[in-house]
PDB file of all heavy atoms in Angstrom:
ATOM      1  N   ALA A   1       7.159 -14.297  -8.453  1.00  0.00           N
ATOM      2  CA  ALA A   1       7.541 -13.145  -7.620  1.00  0.00           C
ATOM      3  C   ALA A   1       7.268 -11.854  -8.357  1.00  0.00           C
ATOM      4  O   ALA A   1       6.641 -10.903  -7.821  1.00  0.00           O
ATOM      5  CB  ALA A   1       8.998 -13.229  -7.213  1.00  0.00           C
ATOM      6  N   LEU A   2       7.622 -11.786  -9.612  1.00  0.00           N
ATOM      7  CA  LEU A   2       7.407 -10.539 -10.412  1.00  0.00           C
ATOM      8  C   LEU A   2       5.900 -10.303 -10.564  1.00  0.00           C
ATOM      9  O   LEU A   2       5.479  -9.185 -10.393  1.00  0.00           O
ATOM     10  CB  LEU A   2       8.083 -10.653 -11.754  1.00  0.00           C
ATOM     11  CG  LEU A   2       9.604 -10.540 -11.787  1.00  0.00           C
ATOM     12  CD1 LEU A   2      10.193 -10.890 -13.114  1.00  0.00           C
ATOM     13  CD2 LEU A   2      10.030  -9.125 -11.373  1.00  0.00           C
ATOM     14  N   ASN A   3       5.153 -11.341 -10.960  1.00  0.00           N
ATOM     15  CA  ASN A   3       3.741 -11.175 -11.144  1.00  0.00           C
ATOM     16  C   ASN A   3       3.016 -10.764  -9.834  1.00  0.00           C
ATOM     17  O   ASN A   3       2.125  -9.949  -9.839  1.00  0.00           O
ATOM     18  CB  ASN A   3       3.104 -12.477 -11.683  1.00  0.00           C
ATOM     19  CG  ASN A   3       3.497 -12.696 -13.148  1.00  0.00           C
ATOM     20  OD1 ASN A   3       3.840 -11.745 -13.840  1.00  0.00           O
ATOM     21  ND2 ASN A   3       3.417 -13.930 -13.592  1.00  0.00           N
ATOM     22  N   THR A   4       3.462 -11.313  -8.721  1.00  0.00           N
ATOM     23  CA  THR A   4       2.904 -10.965  -7.416  1.00  0.00           C
ATOM     24  C   THR A   4       3.165  -9.519  -7.104  1.00  0.00           C
ATOM     25  O   THR A   4       2.240  -8.784  -6.709  1.00  0.00           O
ATOM     26  CB  THR A   4       3.474 -11.892  -6.324  1.00  0.00           C
ATOM     27  OG1 THR A   4       3.184 -13.245  -6.605  1.00  0.00           O
ATOM     28  CG2 THR A   4       2.893 -11.526  -4.973  1.00  0.00           C
ATOM     29  N   CYS A   5       4.403  -9.110  -7.260  1.00  0.00           N
ATOM     30  CA  CYS A   5       4.757  -7.666  -6.916  1.00  0.00           C
ATOM     31  C   CYS A   5       4.059  -6.692  -7.897  1.00  0.00           C
ATOM     32  O   CYS A   5       3.597  -5.651  -7.419  1.00  0.00           O
ATOM     33  CB  CYS A   5       6.300  -7.510  -7.012  1.00  0.00           C
ATOM     34  SG  CYS A   5       7.181  -8.411  -5.742  1.00  0.00           S
ATOM     35  N   ILE A   6       3.970  -7.033  -9.158  1.00  0.00           N
ATOM     36  CA  ILE A   6       3.297  -6.181 -10.110  1.00  0.00           C
ATOM     37  C   ILE A   6       1.824  -6.045  -9.767  1.00  0.00           C
ATOM     38  O   ILE A   6       1.256  -4.954  -9.747  1.00  0.00           O
ATOM     39  CB  ILE A   6       3.520  -6.633 -11.533  1.00  0.00           C
ATOM     40  CG1 ILE A   6       4.981  -6.374 -11.947  1.00  0.00           C
ATOM     41  CG2 ILE A   6       2.558  -5.937 -12.523  1.00  0.00           C
ATOM     42  CD1 ILE A   6       5.413  -7.078 -13.280  1.00  0.00           C
ATOM     43  N   SER A   7       1.185  -7.173  -9.432  1.00  0.00           N
ATOM     44  CA  SER A   7      -0.235  -7.155  -9.065  1.00  0.00           C
ATOM     45  C   SER A   7      -0.461  -6.323  -7.782  1.00  0.00           C
ATOM     46  O   SER A   7      -1.416  -5.569  -7.698  1.00  0.00           O
ATOM     47  CB  SER A   7      -0.723  -8.601  -8.834  1.00  0.00           C
ATOM     48  OG  SER A   7      -0.686  -9.311 -10.029  1.00  0.00           O
ATOM     49  N   CYS A   8       0.394  -6.538  -6.802  1.00  0.00           N
ATOM     50  CA  CYS A   8       0.275  -5.758  -5.525  1.00  0.00           C
ATOM     51  C   CYS A   8       0.438  -4.276  -5.761  1.00  0.00           C
ATOM     52  O   CYS A   8      -0.234  -3.452  -5.186  1.00  0.00           O
ATOM     53  CB  CYS A   8       1.272  -6.290  -4.500  1.00  0.00           C
ATOM     54  SG  CYS A   8       0.815  -7.891  -3.840  1.00  0.00           S
ATOM     55  N   GLU A   9       1.394  -3.906  -6.660  1.00  0.00           N
ATOM     56  CA  GLU A   9       1.572  -2.509  -6.988  1.00  0.00           C
ATOM     57  C   GLU A   9       0.392  -1.927  -7.669  1.00  0.00           C
ATOM     58  O   GLU A   9      -0.014  -0.782  -7.306  1.00  0.00           O
ATOM     59  CB  GLU A   9       2.822  -2.287  -7.867  1.00  0.00           C
ATOM     60  CG  GLU A   9       3.137  -0.897  -8.063  1.00  0.00           C
ATOM     61  CD  GLU A   9       4.534  -0.663  -8.556  1.00  0.00           C
ATOM     62  OE1 GLU A   9       5.472  -0.889  -7.834  1.00  0.00           O
ATOM     63  OE2 GLU A   9       4.691  -0.213  -9.761  1.00  0.00           O
ATOM     64  N   ARG A  10      -0.257  -2.668  -8.569  1.00  0.00           N
ATOM     65  CA  ARG A  10      -1.446  -2.140  -9.200  1.00  0.00           C
ATOM     66  C   ARG A  10      -2.586  -1.965  -8.214  1.00  0.00           C
ATOM     67  O   ARG A  10      -3.292  -0.937  -8.243  1.00  0.00           O
ATOM     68  CB  ARG A  10      -1.902  -3.148 -10.271  1.00  0.00           C
ATOM     69  CG  ARG A  10      -1.027  -3.087 -11.521  1.00  0.00           C
ATOM     70  CD  ARG A  10      -1.591  -4.028 -12.552  1.00  0.00           C
ATOM     71  NE  ARG A  10      -0.716  -4.022 -13.705  1.00  0.00           N
ATOM     72  CZ  ARG A  10      -0.434  -5.151 -14.431  1.00  0.00           C
ATOM     73  NH1 ARG A  10      -1.044  -6.265 -14.147  1.00  0.00           N
ATOM     74  NH2 ARG A  10       0.451  -5.061 -15.447  1.00  0.00           N
ATOM     75  N   LYS A  11      -2.713  -2.881  -7.260  1.00  0.00           N
ATOM     76  CA  LYS A  11      -3.769  -2.765  -6.218  1.00  0.00           C
ATOM     77  C   LYS A  11      -3.482  -1.511  -5.327  1.00  0.00           C
ATOM     78  O   LYS A  11      -4.394  -0.787  -4.975  1.00  0.00           O
ATOM     79  CB  LYS A  11      -3.794  -3.997  -5.319  1.00  0.00           C
ATOM     80  CG  LYS A  11      -4.415  -5.205  -5.964  1.00  0.00           C
ATOM     81  CD  LYS A  11      -4.377  -6.342  -4.976  1.00  0.00           C
ATOM     82  CE  LYS A  11      -4.648  -7.678  -5.729  1.00  0.00           C
ATOM     83  NZ  LYS A  11      -4.429  -8.861  -4.822  1.00  0.00           N
ATOM     84  N   LYS A  12      -2.202  -1.347  -5.017  1.00  0.00           N
ATOM     85  CA  LYS A  12      -1.813  -0.237  -4.200  1.00  0.00           C
ATOM     86  C   LYS A  12      -2.134   1.128  -4.863  1.00  0.00           C
ATOM     87  O   LYS A  12      -2.580   2.080  -4.190  1.00  0.00           O
ATOM     88  CB  LYS A  12      -0.312  -0.321  -3.923  1.00  0.00           C
ATOM     89  CG  LYS A  12       0.179   0.626  -2.837  1.00  0.00           C
ATOM     90  CD  LYS A  12       1.599   0.329  -2.406  1.00  0.00           C
ATOM     91  CE  LYS A  12       2.641   0.355  -3.561  1.00  0.00           C
ATOM     92  NZ  LYS A  12       3.998   0.228  -3.121  1.00  0.00           N
ATOM     93  N   LYS A  13      -1.961   1.234  -6.201  1.00  0.00           N
ATOM     94  CA  LYS A  13      -2.292   2.397  -6.914  1.00  0.00           C
ATOM     95  C   LYS A  13      -3.721   2.710  -6.963  1.00  0.00           C
ATOM     96  O   LYS A  13      -4.157   3.850  -6.952  1.00  0.00           O
ATOM     97  CB  LYS A  13      -1.711   2.369  -8.302  1.00  0.00           C
ATOM     98  CG  LYS A  13      -0.206   2.555  -8.359  1.00  0.00           C
ATOM     99  CD  LYS A  13       0.339   2.520  -9.774  1.00  0.00           C
ATOM    100  CE  LYS A  13       1.847   2.745  -9.751  1.00  0.00           C
ATOM    101  NZ  LYS A  13       2.414   2.747 -11.078  1.00  0.00           N
ATOM    102  N   ARG A  14      -4.534   1.677  -6.940  1.00  0.00           N
ATOM    103  CA  ARG A  14      -5.983   1.820  -6.937  1.00  0.00           C
ATOM    104  C   ARG A  14      -6.527   2.238  -5.575  1.00  0.00           C
ATOM    105  O   ARG A  14      -7.570   2.817  -5.436  1.00  0.00           O
ATOM    106  CB  ARG A  14      -6.727   0.575  -7.368  1.00  0.00           C
ATOM    107  CG  ARG A  14      -6.720   0.384  -8.864  1.00  0.00           C
ATOM    108  CD  ARG A  14      -7.558  -0.767  -9.277  1.00  0.00           C
ATOM    109  NE  ARG A  14      -6.662  -1.794  -9.819  1.00  0.00           N
ATOM    110  CZ  ARG A  14      -6.620  -3.083  -9.446  1.00  0.00           C
ATOM    111  NH1 ARG A  14      -7.519  -3.526  -8.598  1.00  0.00           N
ATOM    112  NH2 ARG A  14      -5.767  -3.895  -9.957  1.00  0.00           N
ATOM    113  N   GLN A  15      -5.831   1.870  -4.510  1.00  0.00           N
ATOM    114  CA  GLN A  15      -6.237   2.171  -3.162  1.00  0.00           C
ATOM    115  C   GLN A  15      -5.197   3.028  -2.436  1.00  0.00           C
ATOM    116  O   GLN A  15      -4.371   2.490  -1.705  1.00  0.00           O
ATOM    117  CB  GLN A  15      -6.467   0.887  -2.365  1.00  0.00           C
ATOM    118  CG  GLN A  15      -7.474  -0.025  -2.969  1.00  0.00           C
ATOM    119  CD  GLN A  15      -7.513  -1.393  -2.264  1.00  0.00           C
ATOM    120  OE1 GLN A  15      -6.649  -1.690  -1.510  1.00  0.00           O
ATOM    121  NE2 GLN A  15      -8.538  -2.129  -2.565  1.00  0.00           N
ATOM    122  N   PRO A  16      -5.188   4.348  -2.769  1.00  0.00           N
ATOM    123  CA  PRO A  16      -4.140   5.189  -2.121  1.00  0.00           C
ATOM    124  C   PRO A  16      -4.290   5.177  -0.601  1.00  0.00           C
ATOM    125  O   PRO A  16      -5.402   5.156  -0.069  1.00  0.00           O
ATOM    126  CB  PRO A  16      -4.405   6.547  -2.688  1.00  0.00           C
ATOM    127  CG  PRO A  16      -5.788   6.542  -3.245  1.00  0.00           C
ATOM    128  CD  PRO A  16      -6.117   5.060  -3.540  1.00  0.00           C
ATOM    129  N   SER A  17      -3.204   5.206   0.084  1.00  0.00           N
ATOM    130  CA  SER A  17      -3.200   5.265   1.539  1.00  0.00           C
ATOM    131  C   SER A  17      -2.150   6.214   2.022  1.00  0.00           C
ATOM    132  O   SER A  17      -1.176   6.554   1.294  1.00  0.00           O
ATOM    133  CB  SER A  17      -2.946   3.872   2.117  1.00  0.00           C
ATOM    134  OG  SER A  17      -1.676   3.396   1.729  1.00  0.00           O
ATOM    135  N   THR A  18      -2.244   6.609   3.276  1.00  0.00           N
ATOM    136  CA  THR A  18      -1.330   7.494   3.869  1.00  0.00           C
ATOM    137  C   THR A  18      -0.441   6.705   4.782  1.00  0.00           C
ATOM    138  O   THR A  18      -0.949   6.055   5.720  1.00  0.00           O
ATOM    139  CB  THR A  18      -2.032   8.631   4.670  1.00  0.00           C
ATOM    140  OG1 THR A  18      -2.880   9.282   3.800  1.00  0.00           O
ATOM    141  CG2 THR A  18      -1.026   9.609   5.227  1.00  0.00           C
ATOM    142  N   ALA A  19       0.870   6.721   4.550  1.00  0.00           N
ATOM    143  CA  ALA A  19       1.797   5.988   5.393  1.00  0.00           C
ATOM    144  C   ALA A  19       2.184   6.812   6.621  1.00  0.00           C
ATOM    145  O   ALA A  19       2.422   8.017   6.504  1.00  0.00           O
ATOM    146  CB  ALA A  19       3.016   5.610   4.613  1.00  0.00           C
ATOM    147  N   LEU A  20       2.227   6.176   7.730  1.00  0.00           N
ATOM    148  CA  LEU A  20       2.711   6.836   8.957  1.00  0.00           C
ATOM    149  C   LEU A  20       4.160   6.423   9.191  1.00  0.00           C
ATOM    150  O   LEU A  20       4.468   5.221   9.214  1.00  0.00           O
ATOM    151  CB  LEU A  20       1.856   6.378  10.110  1.00  0.00           C
ATOM    152  CG  LEU A  20       0.360   6.678  10.048  1.00  0.00           C
ATOM    153  CD1 LEU A  20      -0.353   6.094  11.292  1.00  0.00           C
ATOM    154  CD2 LEU A  20       0.162   8.201   9.988  1.00  0.00           C
ATOM    155  N   SER A  21       5.013   7.391   9.249  1.00  0.00           N
ATOM    156  CA  SER A  21       6.424   7.104   9.437  1.00  0.00           C
ATOM    157  C   SER A  21       7.134   8.219  10.125  1.00  0.00           C
ATOM    158  O   SER A  21       6.691   9.333  10.139  1.00  0.00           O
ATOM    159  CB  SER A  21       7.087   6.793   8.103  1.00  0.00           C
ATOM    160  OG  SER A  21       7.157   7.934   7.341  1.00  0.00           O
ATOM    161  N   ILE A  22       8.266   7.865  10.628  1.00  0.00           N
ATOM    162  CA  ILE A  22       9.171   8.876  11.253  1.00  0.00           C
ATOM    163  C   ILE A  22      10.028   9.426  10.118  1.00  0.00           C
ATOM    164  O   ILE A  22      10.472   8.671   9.271  1.00  0.00           O
ATOM    165  CB  ILE A  22      10.029   8.216  12.331  1.00  0.00           C
ATOM    166  CG1 ILE A  22       9.145   7.633  13.442  1.00  0.00           C
ATOM    167  CG2 ILE A  22      11.049   9.186  12.886  1.00  0.00           C
ATOM    168  CD1 ILE A  22       9.900   6.853  14.472  1.00  0.00           C
ATOM    169  N   ASP A  23      10.268  10.712  10.103  1.00  0.00           N
ATOM    170  CA  ASP A  23      10.982  11.336   8.978  1.00  0.00           C
ATOM    171  C   ASP A  23      12.489  11.056   8.986  1.00  0.00           C
ATOM    172  O   ASP A  23      13.103  11.392   8.023  1.00  0.00           O
ATOM    173  CB  ASP A  23      10.709  12.850   8.974  1.00  0.00           C
ATOM    174  CG  ASP A  23       9.320  13.186   8.619  1.00  0.00           C
ATOM    175  OD1 ASP A  23       8.633  12.335   7.981  1.00  0.00           O
ATOM    176  OD2 ASP A  23       8.826  14.287   8.984  1.00  0.00           O
ATOM    177  N   ILE A  24      12.982  10.498  10.043  1.00  0.00           N
ATOM    178  CA  ILE A  24      14.420  10.318  10.071  1.00  0.00           C
ATOM    179  C   ILE A  24      14.747   8.842  10.480  1.00  0.00           C
ATOM    180  O   ILE A  24      14.053   8.287  11.319  1.00  0.00           O
ATOM    181  CB  ILE A  24      15.099  11.288  11.097  1.00  0.00           C
ATOM    182  CG1 ILE A  24      16.598  11.196  11.002  1.00  0.00           C
ATOM    183  CG2 ILE A  24      14.649  11.051  12.478  1.00  0.00           C
ATOM    184  CD1 ILE A  24      17.337  12.376  11.715  1.00  0.00           C
ATOM    185  N   ASN A  25      15.714   8.319   9.853  1.00  0.00           N
ATOM    186  CA  ASN A  25      16.180   6.974  10.188  1.00  0.00           C
ATOM    187  C   ASN A  25      17.557   7.098  10.806  1.00  0.00           C
ATOM    188  O   ASN A  25      18.554   7.419  10.101  1.00  0.00           O
ATOM    189  CB  ASN A  25      16.236   6.118   8.905  1.00  0.00           C
ATOM    190  CG  ASN A  25      16.644   4.662   9.198  1.00  0.00           C
ATOM    191  OD1 ASN A  25      17.005   4.360  10.312  1.00  0.00           O
ATOM    192  ND2 ASN A  25      16.540   3.836   8.172  1.00  0.00           N
ATOM    193  N   LEU A  26      17.627   6.845  12.115  1.00  0.00           N
ATOM    194  CA  LEU A  26      18.919   7.008  12.780  1.00  0.00           C
ATOM    195  C   LEU A  26      19.944   5.960  12.421  1.00  0.00           C
ATOM    196  O   LEU A  26      21.135   6.131  12.654  1.00  0.00           O
ATOM    197  CB  LEU A  26      18.647   6.949  14.299  1.00  0.00           C
ATOM    198  CG  LEU A  26      17.755   8.014  14.857  1.00  0.00           C
ATOM    199  CD1 LEU A  26      17.451   7.793  16.337  1.00  0.00           C
ATOM    200  CD2 LEU A  26      18.303   9.405  14.607  1.00  0.00           C
ATOM    201  N   PHE A  27      19.515   4.866  11.774  1.00  0.00           N
ATOM    202  CA  PHE A  27      20.413   3.792  11.410  1.00  0.00           C
ATOM    203  C   PHE A  27      20.855   3.869   9.957  1.00  0.00           C
ATOM    204  O   PHE A  27      21.556   3.006   9.478  1.00  0.00           O
ATOM    205  CB  PHE A  27      19.724   2.431  11.652  1.00  0.00           C
ATOM    206  CG  PHE A  27      19.331   2.291  13.109  1.00  0.00           C
ATOM    207  CD1 PHE A  27      18.030   2.430  13.499  1.00  0.00           C
ATOM    208  CD2 PHE A  27      20.283   2.020  14.101  1.00  0.00           C
ATOM    209  CE1 PHE A  27      17.667   2.243  14.807  1.00  0.00           C
ATOM    210  CE2 PHE A  27      19.918   1.856  15.394  1.00  0.00           C
ATOM    211  CZ  PHE A  27      18.628   2.028  15.783  1.00  0.00           C
ATOM    212  N   GLU A  28      20.399   4.895   9.262  1.00  0.00           N
ATOM    213  CA  GLU A  28      20.705   5.001   7.851  1.00  0.00           C
ATOM    214  C   GLU A  28      22.178   5.325   7.621  1.00  0.00           C
ATOM    215  O   GLU A  28      22.760   6.208   8.261  1.00  0.00           O
ATOM    216  CB  GLU A  28      19.876   6.139   7.220  1.00  0.00           C
ATOM    217  CG  GLU A  28      19.892   6.133   5.723  1.00  0.00           C
ATOM    218  CD  GLU A  28      18.835   7.098   5.210  1.00  0.00           C
ATOM    219  OE1 GLU A  28      17.635   6.855   5.408  1.00  0.00           O
ATOM    220  OE2 GLU A  28      19.251   8.127   4.631  1.00  0.00           O
TER     221      GLU A  28
END
């Protein structure tokens, strides 16, 4: 699990993306 998450995080840093989200969470 740790190796998978660390690998995915490294890939994510190499491929920046823009997340689409709503700025407010009504259930928070």
Side-chain angles (χ1 to χ4, degrees):
L2 287 170
N3 289 337
T4 300
C5 291
I6 289 169
S7 294
C8 288
E9 185 163 291
R10 286 183 184 145
K11 287 178 194 173
K12 190 169 60 172
K13 285 183 179 178
R14 278 187 250 131
Q15 300 172 348
S17 62
T18 305
L20 300 176
S21 66
I22 300 175
D23 291 338
I24 188 166
N25 183 351
L26 300 175
F27 301 103
E28 194 171 292

